[in-house]
Each structure stands twice: as C-alpha cells, then as structure tokens.
Amino acid sequence: GTGNGENMPHPPLAAALDKLPFTNAGTVSSSDVFTMRPVPSIYLEPEAPRRARWAWAEGPITPFKQFSYLYAEANATPPTGMRSAPPLGGLGSGTVELRADGSLRSWTIENASPAGSAKTGLLDEAAFGYRLGGAPARLLRTHPPAGLPGVEGIRFSGATPFTRLAPTDSALPAGANLRLYGRSRWRLGDRSASAVPAAGFTLVATNPTGRPLALSLLFVLPVQVQAGMLREGSGGAAGEAHSVGECAVRCRDEAS
C-alpha cells in the first residue's frame, strides 16, 4: 500500500499498538557476533535436542548438566530478546518466539512442550521481509540466511503477550519508521479465550516524507525438515532425510 504520514492517520489497531508500554528492550546489530557456550545447569530448555527428553539434569547423583547457552563476544550477555522473547500463541496450544534479531525460534506447535518434548530451536528460512519506496527488499533479520539481504540493526521490545521489532537501516528513507508487532490473544481470567491457537502480526509504518511511499510486507513460513531433530516412535525403521522430498518418500515407502 501507499501512505502519506501527514494526511493518513494510523488505524485504531496501529495507534493502540504504538501506545503499548515496554520495559524490556535491546538492540541487535548485523555486526554482532554470537556463540553458544556450555553452561552447567540444573534446568535449561535446550533448543533442537536430538530426541524428546526432559531438560532436567539426569542421574541420581549428578546435580548439573552442560547445556549450550547463547553469549555475545567476550563471554558477554547478549542483548535483551536474543536468549528468549515473549511466547506468541495461545495458552497451552503452542507458541513461537520472535527474537531480537528477527529470527523465529522455540517452536512448540507440533505436539511439543517447552521441556517435555523436543521443540524446534530455529526455522532459519521462516522470516519477515519488507520493501519500502524504491529501496531493495530485505528480510527483517540482522543475521539472515546466507545470500539474503538483512537489515543493519533491530530495536527489540517485549512484554508478554507482545513483541515489537523496529529495523534501523541506512536504506530507509530519512525519518521513516517501521514497527513489526507480534501479539497473542490473552484475556485475564479467561483461559478458554486465551487458548486461541494463533498469533497476529502487524506492520506499522510512519512516512514523514510528504509523498506517498509504496510499502510491502512478506512472511515466509516454509515446510521443511527440522535439522538435527530425531523423533523416536514405537516401531518402524529409523533413518535420515536431508530434504522435504526425501522425508516424504521415506514416510511413504515405510508406510507401504
């Protein structure tokens, strides 16, 4: 669509979202370097474990277990929103986290729970993207998949059940402001109304240029093999598949 910031007021939803107060915030830059380091833990929810298992430290004597935990350079704590973010989705009906770098992580929408069953840590090809004015399209990610353009930085804000991402990029028109909101339907004191298995996403744009600017939003949610995952069943053959097609063929052949 097109919009002129001086003549077109934001619709009620956008205005309400922009009034939300956030107490947790962080900024991620495309130049940031992150690593996974082992941390002795009694309990830590692992991302993309190789099999469904509890995350408590195992064994009757061993009180700690080594888990990989995200760190920035020099063993520093990463920006807020990188290790975790507000879960988007209904209560008890599966969630996903929109992290501060724009990635979608900690998927628990396929019969998975945060600790009791193997959750998908990252769907790297799942992403939001945008194109504003005559600038090239880019993903709303600071560290996008190889070969795809991302943004120079993202300002993250989060407070359950809302997440806000605001890209910072020199390719944006001067003064232009984009905000992507992720939200869940929560109703205080009403568990049924809060258990809707869905999340909503809204892109709000402010155009101070005085001229119309074309704006497009993209969301990609691919069906893909969960890399590094192993689901154990009660029978049948076990094996590896390295693509969606190969996985479908194996399931078909084993079922017959």
Side-chain angles (χ1 to χ4, degrees):
T2 60
N4 184 307
E6 296 180 352
N7 301 321
M8 297 182 62
H10 290 314
L13 174 59
L17 290 172
D18 279 342
K19 291 180 180 179
L20 290 173
F22 290 96
T23 57
N24 301 303
T27 300
V28 180
S29 171
S30 58
S31 61
D32 289 341
V33 177
F34 301 103
T35 59
M36 301 297 291
R37 300 178 183 272
V39 175
S41 306
I42 296 177
Y43 176 87
L44 186 66
E45 296 174 7
E47 292 190 343
R50 291 208 45 93
R51 58 180 50 84
R53 59 179 173 135
W54 291 104
W56 292 102
E58 299 172 354
I61 299 177
T62 304
F64 296 102
K65 192 169 188 177
Q66 296 289 336
F67 282 112
S68 294
Y69 210 39
L70 183 70
Y71 282 90
E73 288 185 289
N75 210 31
T77 301
T80 299
M82 282 300 299
R83 285 178 174 168
S84 65
L88 303 176
L91 289 175
S93 59
T95 59
V96 61
E97 296 180 9
L98 181 59
R99 299 283 178 88
D101 61 349
S103 62
L104 291 156
R105 295 178 178 265
S106 294
W107 298 79
T108 60
I109 63 174
E110 298 181 12
N111 299 317
S113 65
S117 186
K119 62 182 177 180
T120 304
L122 169 67
L123 291 181
D124 201 27
E125 289 79 12
F128 288 93
Y130 71 90
R131 181 170 56 196
L132 180 61
R138 59 193 63 226
L139 295 183
L140 189 56
R141 296 271 297 272
T142 57
H143 299 73
L148 297 178
V151 295
E152 296 170 0
I154 294 178
R155 297 190 303 271
F156 165 88
S157 302
T160 302
F162 299 98
T163 293
R164 180 179 65 196
L165 300 184
T168 58
D169 197 275
S170 58
L172 288 172
N177 188 357
L178 299 180
R179 291 89 71 198
L180 177 68
Y181 290 91
R183 65 190 190 280
S184 304
R185 180 184 176 182
W186 278 29
R187 299 293 183 270
L188 293 179
D190 191 336
R191 288 178 294 179
S192 296
S194 301
V196 176
F201 298 92
T202 302
L203 180 66
V204 180
T206 300
N207 174 17
T209 65
R211 67 182 189 279
L213 290 175
L215 173 64
S216 302
L217 173 66
L218 168 73
F219 178 45
V220 179
L221 183 59
V223 177
Q224 69 171 48
V225 172
Q226 299 172 0
M229 301 289 287
L230 175 64
R231 302 281 182 166
E232 295 183 338
S234 58
E240 294 185 0
H242 302 283
S243 68
V244 174
E246 185 180 343
C247 183
V249 170
R250 291 188 65 91
C251 290
R252 181 199 63 194
D253 292 346
E254 292 174 8
S256 60

